[in-house]
Amino acid sequence: MSSTQEEFNTHSLSVELMNEVQQFLYREARLQDTEKFRDWLNMLTEDIHYWMPYRYQRYRKNEKEPTIYDQAYYNDKMEDLKKRILRTETGTCWSEDPATRAAHIVTNIEVELSSNPNEYQVYSLITVRRNMNEDEEHTMVGHRTDTLRRVGGELKLAKRKIILDQNIFMNKSLNVYL
Amino acid sequence: MATNNDFNNYIDTKKGWVDRRIFWDQEIYEQELKQIFAKSWQFVAHDSMLPNVNDFYTTYMGEDGVVVARQKDLSVKVFLNSCPHRGNKFCYADDGNTRSFTCNYHGWSFGIDGKLGALANEHVYDKGDIDKEKWGPRQARVDNYKGLIFATFDPEAPSLEEWLGDFRWYLDMMLDGDGSGTEFIGGGIKSYVNANWKFGVENFVGDAYHALWNHDSGLKAMNNGEGFGQAVTEGSYHASVNGHGWEFGTDGFADVIIMGRPKWTEYVQNVLKPQMKKRLGELRSTIYGSLASVSLFPNCSFLPGIQTFRVWLPRGPRKLELRTWTIVNKSMPDDIKQEINIGCMQTFNPAGVLEMDDGENWEGNTSVNKGYLTRQEKLHYGCGINRQIEHQELPGTIYAGQFNDANQRQFYQRWADLMNANNWDDVPTRYTPRYSGKPTV
Ligand code: FES
Ligand SMILES: [Fe+2]
């Protein structure tokens, strides 16, 4: 029920850029699905902020934006993401053996130019279908707002904010990145 | 007997086993709602979640939804979140600030004190149809221990002070280490685990054992690739007070280091521990921050040093809702609070590198019991069964060695005591109190 009219400024957006961003997000999804986490880290800037804040259900009059000082599923910098990835490489990560099967589905991609010619704001919807153990199937949906930055000609992810739809997270673990 | 079931038949603290059916049977679960969750004092919120008049938070006591609300005089009321007209929940928000709640169905409204106020289209009622004083939602007894708000719906239950008993001596390490009090970091994370609620509680009440194996990868991640090393039994203990339990070492820093934030470790060493030593003495300032975990009977847990604080809300015998927060001392500088927030969340929430490995096990512990034969088998709780000791300084029932099932055995003993009790006189005190009527600081 937003009262302000959004202004869309997409006419200067090239098909090439749109394509490049899409390919970036699909590649990221494939690296996640295939557990190539170190390769995925190479797609991030050194000053990455990977953030998925807590979710509460509130009356409209009480709604408020989460801050980075609130609790969060993820509130990670590069060194933190590296810790998570180290966990999966120790050889003693029992809950990941047998491996989780995950499909990262990226849709609803929108690219916006910003005042910085090297940065783009990208919106997308991430759906992860996770299958594990005998027959456990979980679906998680997140609304992503990313900042992509061109570094030495290459696109990198510099910021990601993920807003989860689920109020109570419906699964025992979040062992995939959204 | 509250039913013709003697629940002492489901546990044996002398031989060290527990019957698996208590993690599966619907009938036993219904009895838990009545005998445990309708009677026990339960943690419902932290003071800091409701700082202002008209602030509220909604949660559950057993499966009974409740509203926890800050009153005009700053006291707290806890009442059922169910409209006495046709029963609908009258508050669907997790938290917020409001002067009143209005039920969606026909528009009855309730004050922040839970009292029935105006009814929508009230003229359809004739004089004498309803006595508003009598038709508000049921109110709980509410009390507070150093910032933690507790409630019970049992008017006969002992006082909160008696319920916590000598466990206050231990709780003060978490709640009163520097005299400034505690607060929760903003927000909170809620998740479902398809496991019996007791598996979460018993893990925190005494299961140091699993950390070495199950959490090896997470510990390595948080500690520069180094695991825990050998289990140390010397100078480590299980302490139980009527089912509340604290298992701990005296290494001083293991849980602080697990959080993986060097600034936090430094703060504990240079600021917090010296303050605690003055306030609570040498022993307690050493225990705080050591490898440890804690549960309050029936369903609240925390980790001193890692600072996760949580409740395990029952959702049927085969499912629980986990609510987690991060607890800090009010006096800590903002940058330290943020270090704790980040380190705690990276280890303990459904995405945390330690938490991630727990739910998996508890779901397995629970779901196997669908097998008729499987659930006739007992579970082993015999570790350290002959290690009970007396300790000069430590109150409660003390066992030597934190790698032990002692606190779990005491937890299930308390469970059986309450499940069997017709009234509070039937409920034994299973330790020798040292601090009755006395402060623990
Ligand atoms: S059920 Fe609440 S007003 Fe009718
Ligand atoms: Fe654990």
Side-chain angles (χ1 to χ4, degrees), chain B residues 203-204 207 210-211 214-215 348 354-355 357-358 362:
Chain B
N203 177 276
F204 277 68
D207 197 336
H210 86 294
N214 182 53
H215 293 307
F348 283 91
L354 297 173
E355 187 100 63
D357 289 316
D358 281 320
W362 304 333

PDB file of all heavy atoms in Angstrom, chain B residues 203-204 207 210-211 214-215 348 354-355 357-358 362, ligand 2:
ATOM      1  N   ASN B 203      19.556 -30.979  25.314  1.00  0.00           N
ATOM      2  CA  ASN B 203      20.857 -30.706  24.709  1.00  0.00           C
ATOM      3  C   ASN B 203      21.556 -29.580  25.467  1.00  0.00           C
ATOM      4  O   ASN B 203      22.733 -29.663  25.803  1.00  0.00           O
ATOM      5  CB  ASN B 203      20.660 -30.336  23.240  1.00  0.00           C
ATOM      6  CG  ASN B 203      21.969 -29.972  22.553  1.00  0.00           C
ATOM      7  OD1 ASN B 203      22.421 -28.835  22.650  1.00  0.00           O
ATOM      8  ND2 ASN B 203      22.586 -30.927  21.869  1.00  0.00           N
ATOM      9  N   PHE B 204      20.812 -28.523  25.764  1.00  0.00           N
ATOM     10  CA  PHE B 204      21.416 -27.375  26.458  1.00  0.00           C
ATOM     11  C   PHE B 204      21.560 -27.618  27.959  1.00  0.00           C
ATOM     12  O   PHE B 204      22.381 -26.992  28.610  1.00  0.00           O
ATOM     13  CB  PHE B 204      20.602 -26.098  26.198  1.00  0.00           C
ATOM     14  CG  PHE B 204      20.948 -25.424  24.906  1.00  0.00           C
ATOM     15  CD1 PHE B 204      20.649 -26.027  23.690  1.00  0.00           C
ATOM     16  CD2 PHE B 204      21.576 -24.191  24.883  1.00  0.00           C
ATOM     17  CE1 PHE B 204      20.972 -25.419  22.482  1.00  0.00           C
ATOM     18  CE2 PHE B 204      21.914 -23.566  23.681  1.00  0.00           C
ATOM     19  CZ  PHE B 204      21.608 -24.182  22.481  1.00  0.00           C
ATOM     20  N   ASP B 207      24.355 -31.456  27.534  1.00  0.00           N
ATOM     21  CA  ASP B 207      25.053 -32.236  26.505  1.00  0.00           C
ATOM     22  C   ASP B 207      26.289 -31.521  25.956  1.00  0.00           C
ATOM     23  O   ASP B 207      26.310 -31.064  24.821  1.00  0.00           O
ATOM     24  CB  ASP B 207      24.083 -32.589  25.374  1.00  0.00           C
ATOM     25  CG  ASP B 207      24.617 -33.716  24.505  1.00  0.00           C
ATOM     26  OD1 ASP B 207      25.853 -33.923  24.463  1.00  0.00           O
ATOM     27  OD2 ASP B 207      23.807 -34.397  23.846  1.00  0.00           O
ATOM     28  N   HIS B 210      28.155 -33.747  22.832  1.00  0.00           N
ATOM     29  CA  HIS B 210      27.914 -33.684  21.390  1.00  0.00           C
ATOM     30  C   HIS B 210      28.782 -32.619  20.710  1.00  0.00           C
ATOM     31  O   HIS B 210      29.071 -32.705  19.531  1.00  0.00           O
ATOM     32  CB  HIS B 210      26.437 -33.409  21.088  1.00  0.00           C
ATOM     33  CG  HIS B 210      26.058 -31.960  21.077  1.00  0.00           C
ATOM     34  ND1 HIS B 210      26.089 -31.168  22.204  1.00  0.00           N
ATOM     35  CD2 HIS B 210      25.646 -31.147  20.071  1.00  0.00           C
ATOM     36  CE1 HIS B 210      25.711 -29.930  21.884  1.00  0.00           C
ATOM     37  NE2 HIS B 210      25.433 -29.893  20.604  1.00  0.00           N
ATOM     38  N   ALA B 211      29.173 -31.592  21.489  1.00  0.00           N
ATOM     39  CA  ALA B 211      29.892 -30.458  20.885  1.00  0.00           C
ATOM     40  C   ALA B 211      31.186 -30.925  20.225  1.00  0.00           C
ATOM     41  O   ALA B 211      31.552 -30.447  19.147  1.00  0.00           O
ATOM     42  CB  ALA B 211      30.184 -29.396  21.946  1.00  0.00           C
ATOM     43  N   ASN B 214      29.798 -33.471  17.001  1.00  0.00           N
ATOM     44  CA  ASN B 214      28.822 -32.907  16.080  1.00  0.00           C
ATOM     45  C   ASN B 214      29.254 -31.534  15.565  1.00  0.00           C
ATOM     46  O   ASN B 214      29.027 -31.196  14.413  1.00  0.00           O
ATOM     47  CB  ASN B 214      27.465 -32.793  16.793  1.00  0.00           C
ATOM     48  CG  ASN B 214      26.373 -32.268  15.897  1.00  0.00           C
ATOM     49  OD1 ASN B 214      26.135 -32.788  14.824  1.00  0.00           O
ATOM     50  ND2 ASN B 214      25.722 -31.205  16.327  1.00  0.00           N
ATOM     51  N   HIS B 215      29.875 -30.745  16.435  1.00  0.00           N
ATOM     52  CA  HIS B 215      30.196 -29.361  16.065  1.00  0.00           C
ATOM     53  C   HIS B 215      31.644 -29.167  15.652  1.00  0.00           C
ATOM     54  O   HIS B 215      32.112 -28.031  15.570  1.00  0.00           O
ATOM     55  CB  HIS B 215      29.851 -28.409  17.209  1.00  0.00           C
ATOM     56  CG  HIS B 215      28.379 -28.305  17.472  1.00  0.00           C
ATOM     57  ND1 HIS B 215      27.477 -28.006  16.484  1.00  0.00           N
ATOM     58  CD2 HIS B 215      27.654 -28.465  18.604  1.00  0.00           C
ATOM     59  CE1 HIS B 215      26.253 -27.987  17.004  1.00  0.00           C
ATOM     60  NE2 HIS B 215      26.339 -28.272  18.277  1.00  0.00           N
ATOM     61  N   PHE B 348      24.626 -19.233  16.250  1.00  0.00           N
ATOM     62  CA  PHE B 348      23.357 -19.762  16.720  1.00  0.00           C
ATOM     63  C   PHE B 348      22.121 -19.080  16.160  1.00  0.00           C
ATOM     64  O   PHE B 348      21.602 -18.150  16.742  1.00  0.00           O
ATOM     65  CB  PHE B 348      23.323 -19.779  18.253  1.00  0.00           C
ATOM     66  CG  PHE B 348      24.117 -20.926  18.803  1.00  0.00           C
ATOM     67  CD1 PHE B 348      25.454 -20.781  19.121  1.00  0.00           C
ATOM     68  CD2 PHE B 348      23.534 -22.178  18.933  1.00  0.00           C
ATOM     69  CE1 PHE B 348      26.194 -21.862  19.589  1.00  0.00           C
ATOM     70  CE2 PHE B 348      24.265 -23.254  19.407  1.00  0.00           C
ATOM     71  CZ  PHE B 348      25.600 -23.102  19.735  1.00  0.00           C
ATOM     72  N   LEU B 354      26.984 -23.465  14.049  1.00  0.00           N
ATOM     73  CA  LEU B 354      26.809 -24.513  15.057  1.00  0.00           C
ATOM     74  C   LEU B 354      25.365 -25.018  15.072  1.00  0.00           C
ATOM     75  O   LEU B 354      25.109 -26.215  15.051  1.00  0.00           O
ATOM     76  CB  LEU B 354      27.226 -24.004  16.436  1.00  0.00           C
ATOM     77  CG  LEU B 354      28.717 -23.633  16.527  1.00  0.00           C
ATOM     78  CD1 LEU B 354      29.043 -22.987  17.848  1.00  0.00           C
ATOM     79  CD2 LEU B 354      29.602 -24.848  16.318  1.00  0.00           C
ATOM     80  N   GLU B 355      24.442 -24.093  15.097  1.00  0.00           N
ATOM     81  CA  GLU B 355      23.020 -24.469  15.144  1.00  0.00           C
ATOM     82  C   GLU B 355      22.631 -25.375  13.967  1.00  0.00           C
ATOM     83  O   GLU B 355      21.837 -26.296  14.117  1.00  0.00           O
ATOM     84  CB  GLU B 355      22.161 -23.206  15.099  1.00  0.00           C
ATOM     85  CG  GLU B 355      20.686 -23.444  15.314  1.00  0.00           C
ATOM     86  CD  GLU B 355      20.263 -23.120  16.736  1.00  0.00           C
ATOM     87  OE1 GLU B 355      20.372 -21.966  17.144  1.00  0.00           O
ATOM     88  OE2 GLU B 355      19.840 -24.037  17.428  1.00  0.00           O
ATOM     89  N   ASP B 357      23.932 -27.730  12.611  1.00  0.00           N
ATOM     90  CA  ASP B 357      24.183 -29.162  12.758  1.00  0.00           C
ATOM     91  C   ASP B 357      23.321 -29.808  13.836  1.00  0.00           C
ATOM     92  O   ASP B 357      23.329 -31.029  13.971  1.00  0.00           O
ATOM     93  CB  ASP B 357      25.662 -29.396  13.075  1.00  0.00           C
ATOM     94  CG  ASP B 357      26.534 -29.123  11.861  1.00  0.00           C
ATOM     95  OD1 ASP B 357      26.159 -29.565  10.757  1.00  0.00           O
ATOM     96  OD2 ASP B 357      27.572 -28.449  12.009  1.00  0.00           O
ATOM     97  N   ASP B 358      22.607 -29.018  14.634  1.00  0.00           N
ATOM     98  CA  ASP B 358      21.838 -29.585  15.740  1.00  0.00           C
ATOM     99  C   ASP B 358      20.469 -30.099  15.317  1.00  0.00           C
ATOM    100  O   ASP B 358      20.089 -31.223  15.629  1.00  0.00           O
ATOM    101  CB  ASP B 358      21.648 -28.530  16.844  1.00  0.00           C
ATOM    102  CG  ASP B 358      22.885 -28.378  17.708  1.00  0.00           C
ATOM    103  OD1 ASP B 358      23.513 -29.401  18.031  1.00  0.00           O
ATOM    104  OD2 ASP B 358      23.213 -27.233  18.075  1.00  0.00           O
ATOM    105  N   TRP B 362      18.191 -33.740  16.052  1.00  0.00           N
ATOM    106  CA  TRP B 362      16.962 -33.830  16.861  1.00  0.00           C
ATOM    107  C   TRP B 362      15.792 -34.311  16.018  1.00  0.00           C
ATOM    108  O   TRP B 362      14.910 -35.002  16.512  1.00  0.00           O
ATOM    109  CB  TRP B 362      16.649 -32.470  17.500  1.00  0.00           C
ATOM    110  CG  TRP B 362      17.786 -31.940  18.321  1.00  0.00           C
ATOM    111  CD1 TRP B 362      18.749 -32.691  18.962  1.00  0.00           C
ATOM    112  CD2 TRP B 362      18.110 -30.568  18.602  1.00  0.00           C
ATOM    113  NE1 TRP B 362      19.623 -31.863  19.611  1.00  0.00           N
ATOM    114  CE2 TRP B 362      19.266 -30.544  19.414  1.00  0.00           C
ATOM    115  CE3 TRP B 362      17.522 -29.353  18.255  1.00  0.00           C
ATOM    116  CZ2 TRP B 362      19.847 -29.368  19.877  1.00  0.00           C
ATOM    117  CZ3 TRP B 362      18.088 -28.181  18.722  1.00  0.00           C
ATOM    118  CH2 TRP B 362      19.239 -28.191  19.522  1.00  0.00           C
TER     119      TRP B 362
HETATM  120 FE    FE C   2      24.721 -28.248  19.549  1.00  0.00          FE
END
